[in-house]
Amino acid sequence: HAKAAGRNAYRFFETSMNTNVHNQLQIMQDLRLALERKEFRLHYQAKYDAANRRVIGAEALLRWQHPERGLIAPDHFIALAEKSGMIVPIGEWVLNEACRQMRTWYDAGRTEWKVSVNLSAVQFAHDNLVELVKATLERHRLPARCLILEVTESTAMQDVETSLSILNRLAGLGIDISIDDFGTGYSSLLYLKRMPARELKIDRGFIRDLADGTDDAAIVSAIIALGHSLDLHIVAEGVETEKQQDFLTELGCNSLQGFLLGRPMAPEQFQALTTMQVDPA
Ligand code: C2E
Ligand code: MG
Ligand code: MG
Ligand code: MG
């Protein structure tokens, strides 16, 4: 059912995007209302340590709880939110909500966890991003080390010098910068070297068919070696099988994320998943 609903939602947005300006304005209007009506939700997907399989944090993933269409995935509305500029207030909501949630985990003793938040290029171009992040952390009395901001290679490539300056200021706050979907963009190694990143996430396109002796295995092990030589923490996304998990662990990947351990889920379910984790004595 969820799949069918997702397809319908996709058709709705795709068709709308191909029709007229009026329709686009309608969706943009809906997005604005959605914020006022509090229809956005964050789901959380666990990120875990490859070596000991313990949860080390979660990625916040945006969902739109549409009154008629049900739960809509971000791929179906982020582009329009970016186009209309609505991604700026929506992104502000995401950041605040993720930090609020991280604060409750922190208070529950998960002081070593980090919450990851995705940033769009449009938010990145907004010059008050650094102040926003700083103010949000302060609002929730959250240590900066509990926050990771994920940017894609292409986000950061739009205006290299400006991006580097913003990223440096963000890193200066003490948060971690993560390069999302690594391997799908076209950033140069020189640029990667200049990025103040702590983490590199291997795109799930390389993980899907991972097996001994494949091209993907060669690429993934090269990315891990490159990342480690630049002192980066390596995360694999889209881990769906035990085989992928074991292989990635063997290759020295630091952390894993994927349906194998847990799908993105509502905070209450996420709570249930992680309380099953037994704390060491
Ligand atoms: P992403 O940041 O690369 O997030 C990972 C995506 O992969 C998520 O899709 C997640 O549900 C999916 N995924 C995780 N594990 C697996 C797996 O094992 N198998 C498969 N097939 N998929 C897996 P989702 O939640 O639909 O998000 C899609 C994209 O939307 C994200 O990709 C991110 O670029 C964007 N996005 C999500 N939330 C936000 C947000 O708050 N702000 C912005 N600007 N973008 C967001
Ligand atoms: Mg991400
Ligand atoms: Mg990703
Ligand atoms: Mg992605």
Side-chain angles (χ1 to χ4, degrees):
H1 279 303
K3 255 197 177 141
R7 263 198 303 275
N8 288 337
Y10 180 66
R11 211 153 34 227
F12 169 67
F13 284 100
E14 193 180 45
T15 315
S16 305
M17 279 166 69
N18 290 336
T19 54
N20 53 41
V21 175
H22 179 87
N23 268 334
Q24 292 204 11
L25 287 174
Q26 184 59 54
I27 294 162
M28 291 171 190
Q29 187 74 24
D30 279 0
L31 278 168
R32 192 180 312 273
L33 281 173
L35 200 57
E36 285 169 21
R37 292 176 180 164
K38 306 188 193 316
E39 290 169 3
F40 291 112
R41 306 278 180 273
L42 288 185
H43 280 190
Y44 295 91
Q45 184 178 34
K47 219 164 128 181
Y48 60 108
D49 188 317
N52 60 20
R53 311 273 152 94
R54 291 177 57 81
V55 175
I56 52 170
E59 178 173 5
L61 293 158
L62 183 61
R63 303 287 181 261
W64 181 2
Q65 184 65 62
H66 195 284
E68 284 111 43
R69 294 172 195 283
L71 204 62
I72 306 176
D75 287 341
H76 308 316
F77 63 87
I78 292 275
L80 277 170
E82 286 178 333
K83 201 173 168 192
S84 63
M86 275 305 287
I87 194 67
V88 173
I90 294 170
E92 208 171 311
W93 178 86
V94 169
L95 182 67
N96 184 67
E97 178 57 21
C99 288
R100 192 198 59 74
Q101 179 62 69
M102 182 62 230
R103 181 70 223 185
T104 71
W105 291 331
Y106 192 94
D107 290 341
R110 308 297 192 182
T111 55
E112 301 308 315
W113 278 12
K114 292 169 188 279
V115 72
S116 299
V117 171
N118 292 283
L119 284 187
S120 109
V122 178
Q123 286 170 279
F124 213 68
H126 241 242
D127 50 33
N128 70 352
L129 180 64
V130 182
E131 286 68 32
L132 176 72
V133 170
K134 190 166 179 280
T136 307
L137 290 170
E138 281 167 4
R139 183 177 316 125
H140 298 283
R141 298 168 293 114
L142 201 62
R145 63 173 166 78
C146 293
L147 179 63
I148 300 178
L149 292 178
E150 298 192 358
V151 297
T152 63
E153 292 169 81
S154 37
T155 301
M157 286 293 285
Q158 297 209 337
D159 175 350
V160 173
E161 294 310 320
T162 308
S163 298
L164 282 173
S165 140
I166 296 173
L167 287 171
N168 277 310
R169 284 160 63 213
L170 287 169
L173 296 177
I175 66 161
D176 288 350
I177 302 297
S178 173
I179 306 172
D180 204 355
D181 302 344
F182 186 77
T184 60
Y186 42 84
S187 55
S188 71
L189 295 181
L190 185 64
Y191 179 58
L192 187 63
K193 190 183 117 185
R194 292 180 66 200
M195 282 275 278
R198 268 287 296 146
E199 179 182 277
L200 193 156
K201 295 182 86 168
I202 307 173
D203 189 75
R204 84 173 122 89
F206 298 110
I207 310 301
R208 196 177 305 123
D209 304 315
L210 199 61
D212 229 342
T214 59
D215 287 350
D216 285 338
I219 291 169
V220 167
S221 71
I223 293 176
I224 293 171
L226 170 73
H228 282 166
S229 73
L230 293 172
D231 242 350
L232 294 167
H233 185 99
I234 312 295
V235 185
E237 55 178 29
V239 181
E240 296 184 350
T241 68
E242 300 261 352
K243 225 174 127 192
Q244 292 165 340
Q245 174 181 262
D246 294 343
F247 199 65
L248 286 160
T249 306
E250 211 169 291
L251 289 176
C253 193
N254 304 91
S255 320
L256 310 172
Q257 196 182 331
F259 293 171
L260 177 66
L261 185 81
R263 289 178 176 262
M265 47 187 99
E268 315 80 62
Q269 291 163 280
F270 186 79
Q271 180 76 21
L273 173 88
T274 54
T275 45
M276 295 184 329
Q277 173 175 291
V278 181
D279 289 301

